[in-house]
């Protein structure tokens, strides 16, 4: 699986050369290499949506919603591009220039590249990568993480066994495959993958671990009854040397650590993650000796009740963390001003199920969607599918609008990304990139 | 000369075809001499070319509706051509199948196929998974054949081997040829029992064989012959397993204990959480014949390479061989209709350990 079509070192050396020293960004979870952030009002929200048989054309689509309160179409679906078929639409990521949005499917491993730079109100599908599995031997392109001129694609599984042993593929922005890197299976590495988070200032890439095709495609009710399958969840996080792409340290983090969020505050070199099955927050930080270490810093709800934390979103000042728990449909807010001791300060039921959370850079607007995986979502009348937009005033989430994805004939609402028209006042390039 | 050239092209094409580097660790593919402990082949071995074509097809995800599934993803070479990751197989679009994939080793000797014996030939068996909406999902036989013929290397290979394009018969012949080449014998047990090598088996396994054929009564169904052993009678029996599983499911609702990792375990009730659908009962052979005497009857699996085949039984409900031995020790599932050869064994702990050692000695020989 490991092969280097291009010296990995040079890919990342390039990356490091352009590294913004410390400012990493989401609104607030984008790659630090994204050239421009929306620090004011986002204008459009793109939702990567799973097709559902019998709903509309039954196909996966990129749905665009106008989220600008000043627009006459505020809160309305203004565009939907059907990509054909159902392939387990999941996550998306911008290229470094923020002109293109890569969107992946975990079942048939197709990657769709949309032009969102030309007219973000109406994205255009410009390229489909259909040979991801054939060329990389990986399955389930999950995280799309921008590097300078490149896209790192973290997969979840492999073509040989459909289990969780997997790797990272590096593509050029034009969709050319450059190299493939296996997740470590030696030194207690489980070989599993999920998310990527880069701290360029420290030349560090951090990865987490989920599960393979057999499990993420399996009916969730069946899965929890299958002890053999339940053994096959990720239990590690890996610190990589970003330049050499060598795995340097493997942490034991049981219960499947998922989304990785680095603190966006310059000089604060820590990242936080949540474990899906064991409902813990884990802090990855440097200890007094300068060594990276992973520490369990507290529970999310009652782990015995298996709330299933799925997505997290860190505020730009790294003081707060939104945590969505899928099974109880709650959004929880943690005060992480001391990241060693997160305290839950707020919670609200968003719906019968909730998966993704995205907040604006200023933290004043928070958006939620519902779908986790097509065969993990709740069934029957508990299978609500929506986008809900809230205003956050520091105390209370106030609903602004709801788009019912079933009523609108769309499908299951999953990953969200913001855009704004180029030249919009809200689009702010990170300072460090002005040196370029 | 011309033929040789074409043949070389053909093999190069086949090498390209195989989308997975499915390097089987121990299958004895393409052999003509039968490994020690197996009966003579009931059908003469196919040509290496036909086996190679079948092998390529077996591991090719392009034989599924969305290029995600192959035979080899449910029957994995590294898992004894069964699958170790899940109790029940996961099919196309993540569909949950009713059953665990049986090993395909020594399938050449099987006269009834599937756990309920509903199929009788490998040539026709393939169309069940290929066309099933929950396995490989091909919309029709014609579409499947056209898809295969549209792939240049297959287009070429079928014409070289058969002098004709892919057809149902020819596709069946190719995949069946590969499956029939999956022979597993020459195990430590075979070398001891049929090869008369006293050092091939350790004392515990030898005692285990005595339990297996004696007090355990296992060989009544998992047959061992004078000259060879398939460890199956090829027949269907009610061991009470399906009955016991239904009882357990009823008793255990709501929920089951789930190991979540990091020492955390919790009771989860999928139905209460909104993520569960209730299972329909698997009545085995009865669903095929509707004869009440066939209720809960499943085919006796071969025990060759059995240590590699966890989880066990038609539904993958028993996690390891110790659990299988305990199941028989208890007298099976306790169904009122179960086979009378399944009754409480009252094994001593030593006998259980010996049985385990014996079962472990049935592993295919490393090459």
């Amino acid at each position: 699986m490991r092969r280097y079509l291009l010296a990995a070192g040079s890919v990342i050396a390039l990356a490091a050369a352009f590294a913004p020293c410390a400012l990493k960004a989401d609104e607030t979870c984008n790659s630090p290499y994204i050239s421009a952030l929306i620090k004011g009002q986002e204008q459009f929200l793109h939702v990567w949506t799973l097709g559902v048989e019998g709903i509309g054309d039954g196909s996966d689509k990129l749905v665009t919603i106008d989220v600008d309160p000043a627009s006459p179409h505020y809160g309305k679906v203004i565009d939907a591009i059907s990509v054909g078929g159902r392939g387990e639409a999941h996550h998306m990521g911008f290229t470094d220039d923020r002109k293109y949005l890569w969107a992946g499917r975990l079942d048939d491993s197709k990657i769709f590249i949309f032009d969102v730079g030309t007219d973000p109100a109406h994205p255009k599908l410009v390229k489909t990568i259909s040979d991801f599995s054939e060329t990389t031997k990986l399955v389930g392109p999950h995280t799309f993480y921008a590097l300078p001129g490149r896209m790192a694609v973290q997969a979840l599984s492999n073509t040989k066994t459909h289990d969780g042993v997997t790797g990272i593929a590096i593509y050029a922005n034009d969709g050319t495959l450059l190299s493939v890197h296996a997740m470590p299976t030696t030194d207690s590495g489980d070989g599993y993958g999920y998310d990527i988070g880069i701290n360029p200032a420290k030349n560090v890439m951090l990865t987490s671990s989920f599960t393979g095709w057999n499990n993420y495609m399996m009916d969730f009710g069946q899965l929890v009854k299958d002890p053999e399958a339940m053994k096959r969840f990720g239990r590690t996080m890996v610190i990589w040397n970003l330049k050499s792409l060598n795995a340097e340290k493997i942490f034991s983090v049981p219960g499947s650590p998922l989304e990785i969020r680095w603190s966006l505050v310059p000089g604060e070199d820590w990242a936080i993650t949540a474990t899906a099955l064991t409902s813990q927050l884990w802090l990855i930080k440097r200890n007094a000796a300068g060594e990276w270490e992973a520490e369990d810093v507290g529970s999310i709800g009652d782990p015995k009740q298996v709330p299933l934390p799925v997505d997290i979103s860190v505020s730009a000042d790294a003081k707060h963390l939104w945590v969505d728990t899928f099974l109880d449909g709650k959004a929880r807010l943690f005060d992480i001003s001391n990241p060693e001791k997160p305290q839950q300060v707020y919670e609200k039921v968003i719906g019968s199920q909730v998966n993704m959370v995205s907040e604006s850079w200023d933290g004043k607007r928070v958006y939620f969607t519902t779908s986790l995986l097509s065969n993990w979502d709740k069934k029957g009348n508990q299978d609500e599918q929506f986008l809900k937009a809230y205003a956050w005033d520091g105390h209370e989430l106030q609903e602004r609008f709801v788009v019912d994805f079933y009523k609108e004939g769309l499908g299951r609402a999953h990953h969200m990304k913001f855009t704004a028209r180029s030249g919009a006042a809200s689009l702010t390039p990170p300072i460090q990139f002005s040196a370029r | 000369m011309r033929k040789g050239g074409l043949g070389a092209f053909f093999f190069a094409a086949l090498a390209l075809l195989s989308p997975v580097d499915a390097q089987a660790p121990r299958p004895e593919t393409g052999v003509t001499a039968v490994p020690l402990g197996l009966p003579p082949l009931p059908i003469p071995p196919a040509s290496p070319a036909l086996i190679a074509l079948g092998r390529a097809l077996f591991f090719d995800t392009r034989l599924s509706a969305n290029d995600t599934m192959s035979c080899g993803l449910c029957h994995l070479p590294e898992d004894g051509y069964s699958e170790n990751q899940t109790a029940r197989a996961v099919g196309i679009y993540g569909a949950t199948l009713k059953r665990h994939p049986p090993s395909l080793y020594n399938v050449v000797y099987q006269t009834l196929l599937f756990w309920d014996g509903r199929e009788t030939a490998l040539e026709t068996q393939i169309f069940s998974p290929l066309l099933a909406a929950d396995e490989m999902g091909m919309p029709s036989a014609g579409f499947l054949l056209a898809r295969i013929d549209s792939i240049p290397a297959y287009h070429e290979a079928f014409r070289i081997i058969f002098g004709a394009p892919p057809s149902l018969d020819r596709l069946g012949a190719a995949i069946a040829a590969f499956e029939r080449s999956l022979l597993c014998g020459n195990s430590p047990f075979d070398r001891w029992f049929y090869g008369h090598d006293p050092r091939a088996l350790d004392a515990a396994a030898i005692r285990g064989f005595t339990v297996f054929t004696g007090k355990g009564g296992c060989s009544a169904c998992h047959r061992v012959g004078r000259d060879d052993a398939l460890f199956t009678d090829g027949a269907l029996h009610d061991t009470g397993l399906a009955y016991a599983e239904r009882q357990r499911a009823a008793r255990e609702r709501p929920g089951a204990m789930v190991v979540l990792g990091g020492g955390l375990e919790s009771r989860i009730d999928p139905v209460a959480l909104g993520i569960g659908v209730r299972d329909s009962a698997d009545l085995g052979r009865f669903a095929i014949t509707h004869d009440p005497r066939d209720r809960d009857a499943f085919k006796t699996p071969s025990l060759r390479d059995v240590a590699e085949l966890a989880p066990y039984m038609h539904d993958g409900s028993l996690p390891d061989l110790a659990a299988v031995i305990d199941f028989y020790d208890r007298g099976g599932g306790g169904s009122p209709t179960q086979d009378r050869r399944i009754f409480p064994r009252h094994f001593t702990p030593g006998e259980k350990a010996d049985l385990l050692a014996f079962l472990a000695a049935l592993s295919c020989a490393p090459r």
Side-chain angles (χ1 to χ4, degrees):
Chain A
M1 188 181 303
R2 187 182 288 271
R3 67 184 174 140
Y4 298 92
L5 298 182
L6 193 126
S10 64
V11 177
I12 305 301
L14 185 70
F18 289 111
C21 313
L23 189 107
K24 300 160 230 97
D26 191 278
E27 316 44 280
T28 53
C29 73
N30 288 308
S31 154
Y33 301 109
I34 301 279
S35 63
L37 295 174
I38 302 173
K39 296 202 168 172
Q41 173 67 50
E42 55 284 356
Q43 294 176 323
F44 307 105
L45 180 71
H46 309 286
V47 185
W48 191 212
T49 302
L50 293 80
V52 175
E53 200 170 3
I55 292 190
D57 67 356
S59 288
D60 300 333
K61 17 182 109 53
L62 185 69
V63 173
T64 300
I65 294 164
D66 187 329
V67 295
D68 183 354
S71 159
H73 308 295
Y74 177 62
K76 296 280 177 292
V77 174
I78 55 169
D79 196 83
I81 307 179
S82 185
V83 296
R86 285 185 296 280
E88 202 62 38
H90 205 78
H91 281 193
M92 310 188 281
F94 292 114
T95 48
D96 58 343
D97 57 11
R98 209 175 174 130
K99 293 203 165 86
Y100 296 93
L101 186 57
W102 290 41
R105 303 210 290 201
L106 298 184
D107 184 11
D108 65 6
S109 298
K110 285 189 178 162
I111 298 170
F112 302 91
I113 304 177
F114 298 95
D115 172 357
V116 289
T118 309
D119 179 5
H122 301 287
K124 290 268 165 314
L125 178 62
V126 292
K127 188 181 170 100
T128 304
I129 300 175
S130 301
D131 62 356
F132 177 81
S133 286
E134 205 183 314
T135 52
T136 65
K137 307 292 179 218
L138 304 175
V139 165
H142 178 268
T143 292
F144 297 90
Y145 204 84
L147 302 171
R150 313 239 187 290
M151 183 64 90
V153 182
Q154 169 73 67
L156 298 182
S157 190
N158 68 78
T159 52
K160 200 175 165 197
T161 62
H162 271 177
D163 71 4
V165 175
T166 191
I168 296 172
I170 311 264
Y171 280 84
N173 277 0
D174 68 1
T176 312
L177 177 65
L178 300 176
S179 58
V180 180
H181 310 269
M183 308 306 283
T185 47
T186 50
D187 297 332
S188 74
D190 52 17
Y192 283 30
Y194 181 80
D195 202 13
I196 296 176
I198 288 178
N199 179 341
K202 291 283 171 276
N203 184 38
V204 154
M205 177 171 85
L206 181 62
T207 56
S208 54
S209 55
F210 183 38
T211 194
W213 186 97
N214 272 339
N215 275 4
Y216 67 70
M217 289 303 295
M218 202 196 300
D219 181 274
F220 198 21
Q222 171 65 25
L223 174 62
V224 297
K225 288 191 297 183
D226 185 337
E228 210 47 61
M230 288 303 294
K231 285 182 199 157
R232 288 173 164 78
F233 277 90
R235 47 190 154 69
T236 59
M237 293 186 80
V238 180
I239 290 272
W240 306 65
N241 179 315
L242 175 60
K243 281 187 196 146
S244 65
L245 281 194
N246 283 328
E248 294 196 327
K249 196 156 187 185
I250 299 170
F251 301 123
S252 165
V253 183
S256 203
L258 297 184
E259 313 291 332
I260 297 168
R261 304 289 179 249
W262 283 96
S263 163
L264 308 179
V265 176
E268 278 192 2
D269 292 308
W270 53 261
I272 196 158
T273 191
T275 54
L277 299 179
T278 44
S279 308
Q280 300 297 309
L281 287 168
W282 283 74
L283 185 68
I284 289 76
K285 62 169 204 301
R286 303 218 306 166
N287 63 18
E291 290 279 311
W292 291 101
E293 59 180 29
E295 186 191 348
D296 183 341
V297 290
S299 301
I300 300 157
D302 176 3
K304 280 254 165 212
Q305 303 293 321
V306 202
L308 207 76
V310 274
D311 196 18
I312 58 178
S313 176
V314 71
S315 61
D317 63 4
K319 297 267 185 268
H320 289 100
L321 184 77
W322 286 104
V323 178
D324 279 1
T325 43
F326 177 78
L327 285 174
D328 59 12
K330 281 181 186 168
R332 299 157 190 268
L333 187 68
F334 285 80
D335 179 340
I336 54 166
S337 41
N338 176 0
E340 312 260 347
K341 291 199 167 38
Q343 299 289 335
Q344 188 183 318
V345 291
Y346 176 78
E347 69 174 45
K348 183 183 179 75
V349 174
I350 305 297
S352 59
Q353 56 188 358
V354 66
N355 182 31
M356 300 307 287
V357 49
S358 284
E359 64 186 302
S360 57
W361 182 261
D362 58 14
K364 289 184 179 153
R365 293 168 303 285
V366 192
Y367 301 85
F368 298 94
T369 53
T370 35
S371 180
L372 176 51
L373 288 156
S374 56
N375 293 328
W376 286 32
D377 285 354
K378 295 190 177 182
K379 300 185 173 86
N381 58 9
Q382 294 207 58
D383 182 25
E384 294 180 311
Q385 292 296 342
F386 56 70
L387 162 78
K388 283 189 181 173
Y390 291 86
W392 172 248
D393 61 6
H395 304 284
E396 195 58 47
L397 283 173
Q398 275 146 7
E399 194 176 293
R400 284 293 177 258
F401 68 84
V402 181
V403 177
D404 184 324
F405 270 57
Y406 277 164
K407 272 208 194 106
E408 299 279 334
L410 298 169
R412 304 177 186 275
H414 196 112
H415 204 202
M416 297 171 272
K417 283 288 170 192
F418 304 133
T419 54
R421 289 186 205 285
S422 65
S426 54
L427 208 59
T428 317
I431 325 126
Q432 285 81 356
F433 271 86
S434 55
R436 216 163 142 181
Chain B
M1 201 59 215
R2 200 175 129 261
K3 227 176 164 188
L6 265 182
F9 170 81
F10 166 64
F11 281 108
L14 276 182
L16 281 174
L17 267 173
S18 183
V20 186
D21 180 30
Q23 209 88 122
R26 293 161 308 159
E28 310 195 354
T29 54
V31 289
T32 41
V34 162
L36 186 65
L38 296 186
L41 289 177
I43 298 174
S47 70
L50 188 59
I51 293 173
L53 174 60
R55 182 178 199 279
L57 291 161
F58 188 89
F59 290 106
D60 198 333
T61 53
R62 289 172 296 187
L63 270 62
S64 69
N66 63 355
D67 293 358
T68 61
M69 288 305 295
S70 68
C71 313
L73 279 164
C74 287
H75 302 280
L76 281 75
E78 45 273 269
D79 299 349
Y81 288 90
S82 172
E83 187 263 297
N84 294 155
Q85 297 176 44
T86 59
R88 308 217 227 131
V90 184
I92 194 165
Y93 299 123
T96 301
L97 304 195
K98 274 204 321 211
R99 295 175 183 162
H100 189 71
S103 166
L104 299 186
Y105 277 134
N106 304 335
V107 74
V108 58
Y109 302 104
Q110 301 274 341
T111 47
L112 294 177
L113 298 168
F114 289 126
W115 285 104
D116 52 23
R118 67 185 182 279
E119 188 53 86
T120 52
L122 289 171
E123 282 80 356
T124 44
Q125 181 278 335
I126 62 166
F127 297 103
S128 290
L130 286 166
L131 301 178
D134 59 357
E135 290 191 63
M136 297 171 77
M138 275 298 186
S140 70
F143 184 90
L144 166 67
L145 295 175
R147 163 82 67 94
I148 292 171
D149 204 29
S150 75
I151 297 167
Y154 287 136
H155 179 92
E156 189 79 5
F158 274 87
R159 278 159 186 82
I160 293 171
I161 293 176
F162 298 103
S167 67
L168 297 186
D169 284 353
R170 294 188 274 271
L171 183 59
I175 296 181
F178 169 66
E179 294 177 281
R180 290 193 179 110
S181 74
L182 303 174
L183 300 178
C184 167
N186 199 17
S187 66
F189 162 75
D190 296 302
R191 293 197 295 275
W192 172 72
F193 193 67
Y194 300 114
H196 310 292
D197 172 358
R199 284 159 312 164
L201 213 56
D202 66 21
I206 293 174
R207 288 194 304 270
F209 178 62
T210 313
V211 179
F212 190 84
T213 49
K215 174 176 174 182
C218 312
S219 54
C221 303
H222 300 285
R223 293 271 174 79
V224 181
R226 216 178 333 128
D227 304 316
D228 46 59
L230 290 175
F231 292 93
T232 173
D233 56 2
L236 297 101
H237 309 280
D238 174 4
T239 61
L241 183 95
Y243 169 87
E245 281 302 306
R246 286 196 297 274
Q247 300 282 101
R248 186 169 73 110
R251 201 173 52 240
E252 279 193 356
R253 217 169 270 140
M257 285 309 281
V258 177
V259 177
L260 296 159
L264 180 68
E265 275 186 41
S266 188
R267 179 161 292 276
I268 296 187
D269 176 4
V271 176
L273 288 173
I275 57 167
V277 270
R278 286 192 185 155
D279 295 332
S280 55
D282 187 347
L283 300 176
R285 182 76 178 164
F286 173 80
I288 309 302
T289 61
H290 307 292
D291 178 341
R293 284 170 303 179
D294 288 337
R295 210 179 137 97
D296 293 345
F298 294 89
K299 192 177 74 175
T300 311
S302 163
L303 299 183
R304 289 200 171 271
D305 212 30
V306 71
E308 302 298 322
L309 304 181
Y312 297 100
M313 311 312 242
H314 71 274
D315 55 0
S317 59
L318 299 182
D320 49 35
L321 286 174
V324 178
I325 292 171
D326 285 342
F327 169 80
Y328 285 110
D329 189 45
R330 283 195 301 275
S335 161
T337 58
Q338 81 189 23
D339 193 294
R340 60 197 159 69
R341 284 163 293 183
I342 308 282
F343 53 84
R345 260 42 177 195
H346 307 295
F347 291 135
T348 66
E351 285 166 339
K352 288 186 184 182
D354 292 343
L355 258 181
L356 259 182
F358 169 69
L359 293 174
L362 298 179
S363 301
C364 317
R367 294 221 96 190

